[in-house]
Each structure stands twice: as structure tokens, then as C-alpha cells.
Amino acid sequence: MESEPALTPLQPREFFGTPWSGEGEWTPRPWLRWLPGPRRFRFRSFTSWLTDELWLVHDTTIWVDGREERRDGIARLVEADRIRFTYDDMPGGTEIQLYTDGFAFAPYRMLVVIPFLPIPLQILVHDSCRWDAASHALQDTINVSLIGLPLGRQVMRLRPEPGQSTSRTNV
């Protein structure tokens, strides 16, 4: 059986053209102990390619309580090692820098809806992903803060879905 070549962020179409899924956990900082403790979730992301340099990103998060969040964004390859991302809930968007062992997002702002607040809360996000070729897993670590105060950390461990490639134009 012939093995597939290793995925690497230096090959954006192959890397991001594969659906990714896995599990994660949101953990608030200790000073926010009044919030529900660590919360687990499942996450899935896939793409719809418009051209070789432009694609749609479809993300779904399903929390352990069954609540489902869906987000769609636009990704554009700006350089061989840089991608620009924009989402409706991400004012100004962000860029990611690709490395051989993962990628890092430039710090970005995100709007989060809190049920008891009349407007979304704008948080600052530091997000980095490390690819482990040996385990075929991507670890995404997201640190969230509000006006300089750390709120918590979200860590996801994702894997490419076997036999699922969307590296062709599929829209």
C-alpha cells in the first residue's frame, strides 16, 4: 500500500484542502472560577476552493452540551508562506505565517456573543498550530484575553480525515 506524502503547511493547497477534525477543551483562567470549568468540544474544518489562491473555510464547533457554532471565512494565499483569513466575527481579519512544523496566526480580534450582554465582546486572540508528522496531528493552542487580562486557553488536537480531500476546486 502506497503511503500518502506527509502534509506540511508549506503546501497550502494539500494541507488546507483536507478536512480536519478532532477534540478540544476550553479552560478559563483560575480568577474566572465562577465560569463553568473546562469545557470539551468537537471541532471540524473543511474548505471549498474557489481558485488555487482563494478558498472558503467552514468551521463547526459542537460543545459537550450539544450547542453548535458554525463559522465561514475566506482564505487567500498572499505569498507562498502567508495566508490572509477573514471572518465576519474577526474585525480586520488576520494572516498566518506557514512554517515546516506548523503555522502561527498574527494576533487577531474576535467578537464573542455572551447571552446576557447586549453587544458582542471583542477579545484578543493569540493562536498557533504545531504539526506533528509522527502522529499526524495538529495541535492548535489559542490564548484569549480581554483588555490585557488573560481569560483562558483553548487547545485542540486535530487530524486530517482519512480519505477526505478537498484539494480540487469543489464549489
Side-chain angles (χ1 to χ4, degrees), residues 13 16-17 47-52 54-55 166 168-171:
R13 182 136 179 134
F16 294 103
T47 57
S48 297
W49 290 83
L50 303 174
T51 70
D52 284 341
L54 186 68
W55 62 96
T166 57
R168 68 190 185 290
T169 302
N170 61 0
V171 168

Side-chain angles (χ1 to χ4, degrees), residues 7 40-41 94 97 100 112 135:
L7 293 172
R40 299 197 55 76
F41 61 90
T94 189
Q97 183 72 47
T100 56
V112 178
S135 67

